[in-house]
Amino acid sequence: MTLAITDVTKKYKIRTTGAQVNALNGVTIVLPAKQTLGIVGESGCGKSTLARMITGLEQPTAGTVTWNNEEIFDKAKNMLSSKHSKIQLVFQDPYSSLNPRQKIGEALSEVLTVHKLVEKSAIPARIDELLTEVGISPDLAHRYPHQLSGGQRQRVSIARALASQPDLLVLDEPVSALDVSVRAEVMNLLIDLRERLGLTYIFISHDLSMIRHISDQIAVMYLGRIVESGSWDAVLENPRHPYTRALIAAMPDHTMVGNDLYEAPLAGEVPDPAAMPSGCAFHLRCPIAVPSCAVNIQNLREVEESHLIACQEVK
Amino acid sequence: MKEKTWFSYYLKSISGVIGGILVLVMFTISILSALGITPHDPLIQDPVNALQGPSAQYWFGTDQFGRDILSRCMDGMRRSMLVSVVAVSIATLVGVILGIVGGYFGKFLDGFVVRFSDVIFAFPAILLALAIVNSLGNSWIDTSLAIAVVYTPIFIRVARGPVLSVKEMDYVKAVRILGFSTPKVLFSHILPNVLPPIVIQVALSMSWAILTESGLSFLGLGTQPPDASLGLMVSEAQSLAAFAWWTLAFPSLFITIAVVGLNLVGDGLRDSLDPARRSS
Amino acid sequence: MSSPLIKVSNLTVSTSDDNRTLVNSVSFEIAPGEAVGVVGESGSGKTLTALSLLGLLPRGVQATAGSISYDGKDLLHTDSETLRSIRGNKIAMIYQDPMTALNPVMRLGAQLIEVIESHEGQSGDATERVLTAFSDVGIPDPKRAYESYPHEFSGGMRQRVMIAMALLLSPELLIADEPTTALDVTIQQQILALVMHERRKRNMSMLWITHDLGVVANLVDRVIVMYAGRIVEVGSVKDVFTNPQHPYTAGLLASLPKASDKNRTRLVSIPGIPPKPWTVGESCAFSARCTRADDQCRTTLPLLRENSSTQAACFHLMGEKR
């Protein structure tokens, strides 16, 4: 089983201005089963759009997303393919990801009923099992989401995703909204579940420290494109693209106390995706840009085994 | 842990409790009248006792034909309630379905729903109701239908607005990704979360429907003599009120009770269904 | 040490209607030119503490005890006119969301002019000062910014405008409430570098509120760790981050993934969630989640005490044998 994202492009039209936004620009990813791909990037890089494509919430403008050689979005029926529940999404905000008028037990039993995954009589036992699996006391099945803490709600969201027995979980900033002291527990839970259930993860975050902790492979995105991707070692130990280097340098690090003079690694701001710069979208902020960067579109190329970058200036 | 229901919050609202009592009284009166339990027959004329003031025999006095005003008020209340309940039920059902479906699917369907409600909104409500009653007929069903058509766009609007924001919530996306059928997404996940403003609108619209029914009857459409209707009674009492105040006062009082009661219930529901207004 | 610029003593903040304590007996000082970080999770009372300094507590919440002495006055018990003259002038504040500080329908130049005029009256060189302030904070085209509205700027640029506004009257103390939390990391780094530079240049004191330990590590001199409305540890940033004494601080630091950890071992986690400050009574608020807690912790309130490196409110400091 493999997730294959092939040359996916997503364009949106802004209704008020008529401007076209290229949220994704020819993204290709191949992820074998039981691997974790970390996708890191800043706002506007397209990482959340990619999550919506992989889970079939939206259809790519061009290109295909397949799991197990089967298209996620059934173009003929203009709806999600029936095999679809094998891919689930865990959202960032634990306060909006659960129906406020549904007890958490009901939310889980609904999934089990719709997909007919267990006998009707076995549903209560399965709910207990799912809640236990994510570290929540089954006694809480009768609670409403607002009676739970943020960390508990995030666990319930994970349990709901697991209820459909998925193969692939897309985790879109799953710990960013949680309190710092609660994040570690949820990260540990995700790692345990991955091992116990043999799951494949796509872990999306702006926080490189979390990506670093959980990923096997890493893709760095900037303005709708992957600018660097490869194995954990390649990207983090030997970053080649100037943007990846800047991102790593900008990561606040509590273990580096007393290096007190800050130097911002990158000048300028992320350009508006509706007014994309020509050539390499990063050239306006790039410390090593040359004039031709404003003209040449950079495609990913292999610089060493399983290490791709999109930059002409890196040899 | 005992879960606090919306009802316990409702009971804390003074306007809600008063409105609730008034509405209960109205329903009791309507049911008594429907069962024929009125002091006198509302249609029996007693010319000898015409235009009597309130007395032990006729609590609210009698009209120009000697009919008992209390009995006629009760009968009128029943008819007003019937029209109001039927009209608002139809408007709610049609309006909410159109609003939810339009809001959720967007695009062409939504455009159609929005235009439809804009067209109806463009007419003054009472004029449109008049036109419809004129073309349909004068039975209570025709009156109900006319009022339902006029109020449907209100429910479209009340349902559609919240759907636009709720459909973007992560929990709706989550159940879509889980492969739930569209009706299930709409009615188990979206409808419950847009229900509070609809419930409030039902209470308020019922009070307006009573006024509209009275207005139509007052203008000679809607309920026809000799049947009693609160609006018709007020209309007939116009020329009598100068020397027989009770002919106008009591039907007016009943209309007031109905409208104020339902409005207070609407206020109470708003306070109890909206978590932000609950003083916990 | 020279006399402090501002001294907060036993500050207690409670809700007005049901008297729930949200900030409990918080005391600290800030020396002239010193940068202090306040670190805590949501509900720890860090933001309310900062807002108390400016008399800007939200409705329904009030300071019920303690004092904040600044320039011979107690800011908790002074008239609103005095507070107003200090606010924005001697003590300025920047927020997480610049849109709450900027008027959306007023040109930026006019908003900054207004700040000058409200404290100093008409000033002939006001325009010049505003343009200088814009260029100081790295706004590329100050003249254009002067004529712009807030919505025409990106989040990072709005944050720069807010900093320019806060620094306009050369305050002695800048209070920052998570001003970089909503920004991208590369932009966050730019803002941190800017603030650092301006602080050095002006020898300004700073109180920086954050939940992100990485942000304050290189930004402040001293750090205050808050938990459930109380200060649990205070010390130099180096001591607190490298040799934490309170089990909560130690647990929090240990729970963060470390760049140096190549093997990616399991993260050390703190079980449970922070309690509501008003529910803990006379006990250590962290005792329910603490592996070192005993009966004493659950029945007696530990006070801050000096030890090898920092001050921590705990009976069983990390540096002590159990």
Side-chain angles (χ1 to χ4, degrees):
Chain A
M1 285 185 290
T2 307
L3 174 77
I5 300 170
T6 314
D7 211 13
V8 163
T9 296
K10 180 70 183 177
K11 294 182 187 343
Y12 293 103
K13 205 164 209 150
I14 298 176
R15 204 178 283 177
T16 46
T17 58
Q20 183 129 299
V21 176
N22 294 324
L24 289 177
N25 231 327
V27 170
T28 298
I29 289 171
V30 177
L31 179 66
K34 303 191 185 180
Q35 288 272 303
T36 295
L37 170 69
I39 300 180
V40 64
E42 300 179 283
S43 51
C45 76
K47 54 191 195 298
S48 292
T49 308
L50 192 60
R52 289 199 292 274
M53 300 295 140
I54 298 170
T55 51
L57 276 174
E58 284 179 41
Q59 194 179 356
T61 311
T64 57
V65 182
T66 65
W67 174 247
N68 216 3
N69 296 323
E70 201 157 338
E71 276 216 41
I72 308 267
F73 202 96
D74 190 334
K75 287 198 176 102
K77 292 194 216 147
N78 194 33
M79 61 181 289
L80 308 181
S81 147
S82 53
K83 292 281 161 65
H84 188 67
S85 64
K86 293 291 159 201
I87 300 179
Q88 288 300 316
L89 179 61
V90 175
F91 298 85
Q92 172 175 2
D93 180 7
Y95 293 87
S96 80
S97 57
L98 297 171
N99 185 341
R101 291 175 193 271
Q102 201 175 35
K103 290 177 183 168
I104 64 174
E106 294 167 0
L108 298 178
S109 92
E110 199 179 41
V111 181
L112 300 172
T113 314
V114 166
H115 290 293
K116 300 189 177 65
L117 291 168
V118 293
E119 294 284 321
K120 204 160 186 143
S121 58
I123 286 180
R126 178 70 181 138
I127 291 174
D128 285 6
E129 194 183 5
L130 282 166
L131 290 176
T132 311
E133 191 137 63
V134 297
I136 287 197
S137 159
D139 304 340
L140 300 186
H142 302 290
R143 296 274 179 94
Y144 283 97
H146 71 87
Q147 296 169 312
L148 304 182
S149 71
Q152 286 175 319
R153 287 185 217 201
Q154 202 59 314
R155 288 165 187 270
V156 173
S157 290
I158 294 168
R160 178 182 55 195
L162 294 179
S164 70
Q165 298 173 356
D167 299 321
L168 171 71
L169 280 191
V170 179
L171 304 153
D172 189 1
E173 306 264 11
V175 299
S176 302
L178 303 179
D179 263 331
V180 182
S181 74
V182 179
R183 287 181 189 171
E185 278 196 311
V186 175
M187 287 300 281
N188 284 339
L189 170 69
L190 290 171
I191 290 169
D192 291 347
L193 289 171
R194 176 175 67 185
E195 266 146 46
R196 199 152 26 146
L197 304 173
L199 296 168
T200 308
Y201 283 171
I202 291 193
F203 190 100
I204 295 173
S205 184
H206 70 284
D207 184 345
L208 196 58
S209 67
M210 294 298 169
I211 294 272
R212 186 198 292 272
H213 188 74
I214 201 169
S215 310
D216 304 311
Q217 296 186 44
I218 290 168
V220 181
M221 292 187 72
Y222 189 78
L223 279 175
R225 285 177 184 274
I226 294 177
V227 295
E228 179 157 9
S229 72
S231 65
W232 191 94
D233 286 319
V235 177
L236 292 176
E237 300 284 279
N238 186 20
R240 304 287 289 273
H241 195 283
Y243 178 65
T244 312
R245 288 165 170 266
L247 209 54
I248 292 172
M251 228 39 237
D253 186 348
H254 69 281
T255 59
M256 311 282 275
V257 184
N259 301 8
D260 74 11
L261 259 185
Y262 273 94
E263 207 166 317
L266 276 188
E269 310 228 308
V270 181
D272 182 355
M276 200 78 87
S278 62
C280 169
F282 184 60
H283 80 266
L284 291 172
R285 304 175 73 196
C286 183
I288 61 167
V290 296
S292 64
C293 292
V295 184
N296 302 339
I297 290 174
Q298 303 294 323
N299 291 312
L300 280 174
R301 63 187 168 92
E302 198 160 49
V303 284
E304 57 187 318
E305 205 194 329
S306 74
H307 191 177
L308 304 161
I309 65 163
C311 179
Q312 62 178 25
E313 290 304 302
V314 174
K315 297 298 177 265
Chain B
M1 197 166 89
K2 182 84 179 79
E3 172 72 7
K4 267 198 171 175
T5 61
W6 67 270
F7 193 66
S8 63
Y9 287 104
Y10 183 87
L11 290 180
K12 281 189 189 160
S13 148
I14 295 169
S15 54
V17 171
I18 295 175
I21 293 170
L22 291 180
V23 169
L24 272 180
V25 168
M26 286 156 54
F27 269 102
T28 312
I29 289 172
S30 307
I31 289 167
L32 287 176
S33 158
L35 296 172
I37 308 175
T38 50
H40 300 269
D41 186 322
L43 297 179
I44 294 263
Q45 301 188 1
D46 183 5
V48 181
N49 284 319
L51 289 176
Q52 296 288 308
S55 65
Q57 192 188 0
Y58 300 107
W59 291 359
F60 286 6
T62 58
D63 66 6
Q64 70 272 38
F65 301 112
R67 295 176 296 200
D68 178 33
I69 290 186
L70 173 58
S71 305
R72 287 183 71 75
C73 280
M74 289 174 71
D75 199 38
M77 178 69 90
R78 174 182 66 84
R79 205 164 266 119
S80 298
M81 290 291 283
L82 184 67
V83 167
S84 156
V85 167
V86 170
V88 173
S89 301
I90 296 172
T92 307
L93 198 67
V94 175
V96 168
I97 289 176
L98 286 180
I100 288 183
V101 168
Y104 184 74
F105 290 102
K107 293 182 184 161
F108 169 76
L109 201 56
D110 192 36
F112 172 76
V113 168
V114 171
R115 291 304 152 258
F116 170 75
S117 59
D118 283 352
V119 166
I120 294 184
F121 265 130
F123 294 99
I126 192 82
L127 279 189
L128 184 62
L130 270 174
I132 297 171
V133 172
N134 246 331
S135 56
L136 286 177
N138 291 326
S139 80
W140 69 269
I141 296 180
D142 301 322
T143 314
S144 303
L145 278 178
I147 296 175
V149 170
V150 172
Y151 286 179
T152 298
I154 297 174
F155 284 95
I156 290 179
R157 204 169 264 198
V158 168
R160 182 180 167 272
V163 168
L164 293 179
S165 61
V166 169
K167 77 168 177 177
E168 296 300 330
M169 299 296 279
D170 288 343
Y171 60 81
V172 173
K173 290 185 195 149
V175 294
R176 282 173 58 200
I177 295 170
L178 281 162
F180 288 14
S181 67
T182 303
K184 184 153 180 67
V185 175
L186 283 179
F187 294 104
S188 327
H189 291 274
I190 291 187
L191 181 61
N193 286 291
V194 301
L195 208 52
I198 296 172
V199 171
I200 296 159
Q201 191 60 46
V202 165
L204 296 178
S205 296
M206 279 186 65
S207 77
W208 301 340
I210 286 175
L211 278 178
T212 308
E213 194 277 336
S214 300
L216 288 173
S217 302
F218 179 90
L219 294 171
L221 297 147
T223 312
Q224 297 300 312
D227 284 341
S229 146
L230 295 175
L232 190 60
M233 289 170 75
V234 170
S235 167
E236 289 172 347
Q238 273 188 108
S239 53
L240 307 169
F243 49 91
W245 57 269
W246 56 90
T247 54
L248 180 64
F250 291 109
S252 306
L253 181 70
F254 267 53
I255 294 176
T256 310
I257 288 173
V259 172
V260 170
L262 285 163
N263 266 298
L264 291 177
V265 167
D267 285 354
L269 287 171
R270 193 187 56 216
D271 292 345
S272 57
L273 292 176
D274 181 356
R277 280 171 175 267
R278 286 176 185 169
S279 43
S280 60
Chain C
M1 199 164 128
S2 57
S3 65
L5 175 73
I6 193 162
K7 185 173 161 67
V8 177
S9 310
N10 294 315
L11 174 69
T12 300
V13 176
S14 311
T15 56
S16 314
D17 51 353
D18 44 12
N19 202 30
R20 288 172 163 177
T21 308
L22 302 173
V23 174
N24 207 335
S25 305
V26 162
S27 303
F28 63 93
E29 305 174 352
I30 305 173
E34 187 189 29
V36 176
V38 180
V39 173
E41 301 178 83
S42 54
S44 64
K46 58 187 193 301
T47 297
L48 290 175
T49 302
L51 292 173
S52 303
L53 266 55
L54 286 168
L56 290 175
L57 285 172
R59 279 167 77 90
V61 174
Q62 59 189 15
T64 44
S67 66
I68 297 172
S69 60
Y70 170 81
D71 195 20
K73 299 176 199 73
D74 179 359
L75 297 188
L76 283 185
H77 303 100
T78 190
D79 57 296
S80 56
E81 191 48 40
T82 313
L83 262 183
R84 201 195 62 81
S85 72
I86 292 171
R87 244 183 246 155
N89 188 8
K90 299 289 182 196
I91 304 178
M93 184 153 181
I94 53 179
Y95 307 83
Q96 179 172 342
D97 179 8
M99 287 311 262
T100 59
L102 298 172
N103 182 341
V105 297
M106 199 171 163
R107 288 179 205 276
L108 293 173
Q111 297 194 42
L112 270 74
I113 296 273
E114 200 179 48
V115 172
I116 296 177
E117 288 182 348
S118 66
H119 287 283
E120 299 177 2
Q122 291 288 341
S123 162
D125 61 347
T127 308
E128 206 47 48
R129 282 167 65 188
V130 169
L131 291 174
T132 311
F134 280 152
S135 79
D136 278 353
V137 297
I139 291 171
D141 186 351
K143 287 218 171 72
R144 197 175 66 92
Y146 192 92
E147 295 295 330
S148 300
Y149 291 98
H151 71 88
E152 297 174 68
F153 275 27
S154 68
M157 278 298 155
R158 282 203 283 260
Q159 208 58 265
R160 286 175 191 267
V161 170
M162 189 162 64
I163 292 169
M165 196 164 172
L167 299 180
L168 202 51
L169 301 174
S170 304
E172 294 180 301
L173 172 64
L174 178 70
I175 300 174
D177 186 10
E178 307 230 19
T180 62
T181 302
L183 302 176
D184 281 325
V185 284
T186 59
I187 307 298
Q188 164 169 280
Q189 202 74 353
Q190 294 172 1
I191 299 292
L192 293 177
L194 167 68
V195 169
M196 199 70 174
H197 177 76
E198 291 297 319
R199 181 173 94 75
R200 284 280 149 79
K201 196 171 84 183
R202 298 158 186 265
N203 193 30
M204 175 176 69
S205 299
M206 195 161 77
L207 186 68
W208 193 282
I209 318 292
T210 188
H211 71 279
D212 189 337
L213 286 84
V215 164
V216 288
N218 298 320
L219 189 72
V220 301
D221 307 313
R222 225 148 47 84
V223 66
I224 293 171
V225 182
M226 289 189 72
Y227 186 77
R230 287 182 187 270
I231 295 180
V232 294
E233 184 155 9
V234 196
S236 78
V237 66
K238 194 165 178 15
D239 289 336
V240 171
F241 279 31
T242 56
N243 192 14
Q245 291 301 305
H246 197 284
Y248 170 66
T249 320
L252 202 58
L253 286 161
S255 76
L256 301 172
K258 281 158 211 60
S260 54
D261 177 15
K262 304 265 186 285
N263 296 323
R264 294 185 280 161
T265 47
R266 268 179 83 83
L267 296 172
V268 180
S269 65
I270 308 174
I273 55 166
K276 304 282 183 224
W278 60 89
T279 60
V280 290
E282 289 299 296
S283 67
C284 171
F286 189 59
S287 57
R289 303 172 75 189
C290 183
T291 51
R292 302 167 77 90
D294 58 16
D295 286 344
Q296 185 188 18
C297 305
R298 287 183 273 269
T299 53
T300 323
L301 178 72
L303 299 173
L304 279 175
R305 61 191 173 101
E306 201 85 44
N307 62 84
S308 58
S309 52
T310 71
Q311 280 187 298
C314 177
F315 297 119
H316 312 293
L317 298 171
M318 299 305 285
E320 295 169 352
K321 280 224 175 74
R322 283 241 48 205

